[in-house]
Each structure stands twice: as C-alpha cells, then as structure tokens.
Amino acid sequence: MSSVLSRSNSSSPRPLVETGARGRVVQYLRENIASGEWGAGQILPSAQKLSESLDVNRRTVYAALDLLRQEGLIRSNGGKIQIVARSQASASRLMGETVVVFTYFPESAAPFPVEGGSLAEITRSIYTQIIGTRQHVMTFAHAEIERRDVSMLLGSDRPAGVIFADISDNESPFLGWARALRDGGVPVALFGEDEVMSEFDHVASDHFEGARKLTHFLLEKGARNPLCLWGGPLQRAWQERRAQGFSHAMQEAGLQAQNVKHWPLSGHGWKVDEAAFDHEVRTLMGYLFEHFQGARPIDALLAQTDLEFFLLAAACRRLGREPGRDVLLVGYDNMWQNQPMRAFESAVPLATVDKCNAQIGSELVSLILDRQTGKSPTEPQKRVIEPHILPTT
C-alpha cells in the first residue's frame, strides 16, 4: 500500500454502522480525514487507486464517495477529483466530549427553573448533570430533526453518548435511530416504560408503586369505591402498570377494584380557552354520570394526570358532587400548581404523585457514564425510580 494511503495510528477505529465492502471503504476514508492524514482542501486518491489499494471494485468506491459527499465531508471539483471539504480532527475531539440529547423540551436549556413535574425537568436535570462531568451538551428538538441530521452522528466524529429523554411510543422513528447509534458503538440511554425499552439502557418511573400509594392515600381518607377514569385509549405500558398498582392496593385493603375506565379525550380541554374547556367537561359528564348512580356509587376519582384533574373536578361539580367533599379527587405528575385550567375550576387535588423527574434525568446521565467507562455489563440496564405522594394540604 502506498504511503498516501497508509492509515494513521493516531485514531482508533470505531464500530461500523455501514457494513460490507462499502462500509470498509467509508470507514477507511473517514478515519484518514478524522486523523488529519488528509486535511481540508487536499485531493483524495483516485477511485482507481482506492479500488486497487483496498481490493474492492470501483463501483463500491463510488458509492462510498457519494455517501461522504452527502455528509458534506468531501466535495467534487465538477469532475472526477474529490477534495476534502472540512477537517474532522478538531470536530472529532469536540464530539467525543459531547452528549447529544433528543427532547421535546429544548427550552429546558434556558436559564430559568422548570417547576412542578413537567417532563421538561428531566431534560433540565440532564443538562445539569452532564455539565457537571465537564462534558458538553448538544440538543436536538424532536419536531425539527430529520433522518439526515441523525446520520451525521454515525460518522467518524461520533458523540460521547446520546440520551432520548422522552420517546412517546413504540412506533417512534427515534427507536430506529437509537438502535443505529447503539449498534454503532455510541452509548445510548432512554426514558420510558414501554416493552421495547428493554433492549436499551433505560430509566423508568415506577407507575405500579405510584398508583398503589395513591390508592392507599384515598382509602385512608375514607374512600371505598374509587375509580380510575382516564382520557384517551388505554394502550401504553405505563397505563397498564398503573392500573395494576390500583388493583393491587384495593386487594390489599380487601376491597373490589373497578376496571379502569376511559373517555375519548378530544384534546379541546388542553387549550387555554373556556369554551374548549367547557366542551371537554360536557363530554366527560356523560361518562361520569352512570358511576354516581346505583347501589354502589363511586366516592373517589384518580385522574390520569393533574391536567385531567381539573376536567374531572368540573364535571363532578356540574353533576352535583362537590370535589373534596362528595367525591375525593387526586391527580398525578405534580403539575397542577401552574395549570392554566385552574382559571376555570377552583378545586385542587387532595394529592398528586411526584415522579422525581430530576432523579430520572440524573440516572439517564449515570447510565451513559457507566457505559462510557465500561462499568455496565453487556446486557441493557434498567433503573426504576420510585415516585412520592405529595398531599396538597
């Protein structure tokens, strides 16, 4: 192999995402550019020379060069000559000290406190913990990211780790990206409880224990026939775990648990608009009415979130049941304090559940650090955070 094609020893190869012959050529080119062997503005060896030196056909070389052109790593002079567009030596060192965070809440990076139990607190905690390790943070907002943006993280200048702070469902395209990054040797950590998370290092909130504790709180207040009435379909793993916690608490108390009910939440109530709030409450009244009838009417309600609490409270009031007196109501997520819907309903939950989102963020960073330093075993790690009950009085 000629000297111009010799691989620099100053950069150790990283695991490939590209496989086969093209992957071998791509890695070879990336490593020589990353190491500074070929600097910005330098002309690359010809496709024929690369083909002979690497023992691959020219079609494979052309495919590899095309990929690097798409990434912006090289450019063509309009003919067959390929030129290094930018040096990656300094970028590689910087990215090697950077943790990338995918989040729906990029505003959490702003220098102001995030209050209550918002998921944004997870992102806020991640930033704080990473900066404390003297690493850097790069934020990608879910709504703005496209696949070509993620592919750059699989080049030679890969990040020190990637955290997906709030993947919302099993079908999310971010799961595919998480797999690609993990398989490419990048430490990856996710937050969530869906079954698919088990293939990754991840952190989950203990929804079973949160619902169990919250149900016992209501029973200690005198409730004997509480009901979980939640908005939207019941199809998420955390909903199932919470339903199991509710049933378990009722069994512990020797009481019969009603099945979790749901109403088709339209989303109108989330708007800071009294007419939209009224529309959602009227819909909810139809689902609540039957549960106040018969020989065993409900005496307590467990809302799915603090946001839904205000809708439930308003619906109960319009059905002649005073919240906190005729029917006990509790929330979840510790977000009720600053909700705009409080303008339309004066009741507050007797208690809510704090999922300890700051601790969740801290554990996500800890998973990344343990994977970086080789402390984690080969198999994916799961850390479960126990929530706390927060009475409001």
Side-chain angles (χ1 to χ4, degrees), residues 54-312:
L54 298 175
D55 194 25
V56 295
N57 61 50
R58 275 186 291 178
R59 183 178 299 175
T60 299
V61 173
Y62 289 139
L65 292 171
D66 184 58
L67 178 63
L68 296 188
R69 279 196 299 273
Q70 291 178 37
E71 293 179 1
L73 196 55
I74 64 174
R75 59 183 173 84
S76 171
N77 72 339
K80 295 184 178 181
I81 295 177
Q82 307 299 319
I83 303 168
V84 178
R86 57 186 172 88
S87 171
Q88 283 198 319
S90 60
S92 295
R93 287 194 296 271
L94 179 62
M95 286 301 294
E97 300 171 350
T98 299
V99 175
V100 174
V101 180
F102 286 85
T103 178
Y104 282 111
F105 303 99
E107 69 275 11
S108 302
F112 55 80
V114 178
E115 298 181 357
S118 167
L119 287 175
E121 176 61 22
I122 296 177
T123 310
R124 177 80 171 177
S125 175
I126 290 170
Y127 295 144
T128 302
Q129 296 297 321
I130 292 174
I131 292 171
T133 68
R134 296 184 179 275
Q135 296 187 81
H136 312 292
V137 185
M138 176 184 291
T139 305
F140 284 173
H142 283 187
E144 305 299 329
I145 290 297
E146 298 180 20
R147 192 170 188 85
R148 66 174 179 269
D149 298 312
V150 177
S151 67
M152 73 179 183
L153 300 178
L154 298 172
S156 58
D157 52 342
R158 299 182 187 181
V162 175
I163 295 175
F164 291 84
D166 37 52
I167 291 180
S168 59
D169 60 69
N170 287 343
E171 303 303 321
S172 169
F174 295 102
L175 289 171
W177 301 349
R179 291 187 184 101
L181 290 161
R182 176 200 61 198
D183 295 344
V186 178
V188 172
L190 285 67
F191 166 59
E193 192 158 337
D194 291 328
E195 185 177 348
V196 72
M197 301 292 176
S198 61
E199 65 179 278
F200 301 97
D201 289 341
H202 70 288
V203 178
S205 177
D206 193 341
H207 287 275
F208 177 94
E209 190 61 18
R212 192 189 75 83
K213 287 180 176 180
L214 196 58
T215 306
H216 276 299
F217 173 88
L218 285 172
L219 297 178
E220 290 168 3
K221 292 289 184 181
R224 286 299 173 264
N225 189 27
L227 173 70
C228 296
L229 182 59
W230 297 342
L234 309 179
Q235 58 187 17
R236 301 294 303 281
W238 61 264
Q239 291 172 315
E240 181 180 353
R241 292 291 293 156
R242 203 182 289 181
Q244 291 169 349
F246 168 70
S247 297
H248 188 77
M250 294 294 286
Q251 290 171 10
E252 289 177 325
L255 298 171
Q256 181 180 356
Q258 295 200 53
N259 292 330
V260 174
K261 308 293 183 182
H262 73 94
W263 89 91
L265 185 65
S266 69
H268 290 298
W270 302 150
K271 301 175 183 177
V272 187
D273 178 285
E274 190 168 8
F277 182 84
D278 179 71
H279 173 87
E280 200 76 68
V281 170
R282 288 176 180 273
T283 301
L284 183 52
M285 287 170 63
Y287 287 85
L288 260 179
F289 179 78
E290 62 178 292
H291 297 291
F292 286 129
Q293 309 305 309
R296 193 167 173 255
I298 62 170
D299 53 13
L301 282 164
L302 291 85
Q304 185 168 229
T305 69
D306 284 357
L307 281 74
E308 292 181 16
F309 164 84
F310 293 102
L311 298 169
L312 284 169

